[in-house]
């Protein structure tokens, strides 16, 4: 059974940092494309980032480029999202996603087409 569990969210001031984790079980994360999307209250899902399985190519939304960085620890079957210089507009529930049908990301918004995601972790950026 494919399962993704996000953690690491919280409340921070503008300019702060958080590191989100996504622990996968039931499948080998290394073999599939995966990434992150977010959903702010009352808004549609917004793609954040996507990483290909084969060569690890990463794509990011322009809104987070230079501030957010994905990494992975395949020994722990875990994906991470390091978020720096956080802004109030980054406030949202963050989800990681993966899909056995995807081995590569052509762009960051491919993450929105993936069929498996977790319950999310809440990020609030406020002074």
């Amino acid at each position: 059974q494919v399962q993704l569990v996000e953690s690491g969210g919280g409340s921070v001031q503008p300019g702060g940092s958080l590191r989100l984790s996504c622990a996968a079980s039931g499948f080998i994360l290394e073999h599939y494309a995966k990434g992150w999307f977010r959903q702010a209250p009352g808004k549609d899902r917004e793609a954040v980032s996507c990483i290909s399985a084969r060569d690890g190519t990463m794509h990011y939304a322009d809104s987070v480029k230079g501030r957010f960085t994905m990494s992975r620890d395949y020994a722990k079957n875990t994906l991470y999202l390091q978020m720096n210089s956080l802004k109030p507009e980054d406030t949202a529930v963050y989800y990681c996603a993966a899909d056995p049908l995807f081995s590569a990301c052509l762009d960051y918004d491919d993450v929105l087409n993936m069929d498996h995601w977790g319950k999310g972790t809440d990020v609030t950026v406020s002074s």
Side-chain angles (χ1 to χ4, degrees):
Q1 180 182 359
V2 173
Q3 189 173 14
L4 297 163
V5 179
E6 302 92 341
S7 62
S11 183
V12 296
Q13 293 185 339
S17 297
L18 284 172
R19 187 194 193 205
L20 306 184
S21 300
C22 172
S25 60
F27 72 109
I28 300 174
L29 194 62
E30 181 178 4
H31 294 173
Y32 308 125
K34 53 271 180 189
W36 295 86
F37 67 91
R38 64 189 182 186
Q39 188 165 25
K43 294 190 176 181
D44 291 335
R45 295 187 308 162
E46 178 189 12
V48 173
S49 59
C50 197
I51 176 172
S52 295
R54 200 166 300 165
D55 58 7
T57 303
M58 300 183 192
H59 302 275
Y60 296 92
D62 287 344
S63 59
V64 306
K65 203 171 291 183
R67 301 187 298 121
F68 290 11
T69 304
M70 283 185 294
S71 62
R72 61 277 192 206
D73 185 340
Y74 290 140
K76 295 182 179 179
N77 214 29
T78 299
L79 178 70
Y80 302 98
L81 183 68
Q82 178 67 43
M83 306 188 298
N84 299 328
S85 302
L86 283 162
K87 304 175 181 180
E89 51 264 42
D90 294 319
T91 295
V93 179
Y94 283 72
Y95 301 85
C96 68
D99 196 312
L101 295 180
F102 283 77
S103 61
C105 302
L106 298 181
D107 207 341
Y108 69 95
D109 56 1
D110 281 345
V111 70
L112 295 181
N113 296 320
M114 296 180 183
D115 280 346
H116 301 283
W117 59 86
K119 294 183 178 180
T121 186
D122 210 339
V123 172
T124 301
V125 185
S126 173
S127 56

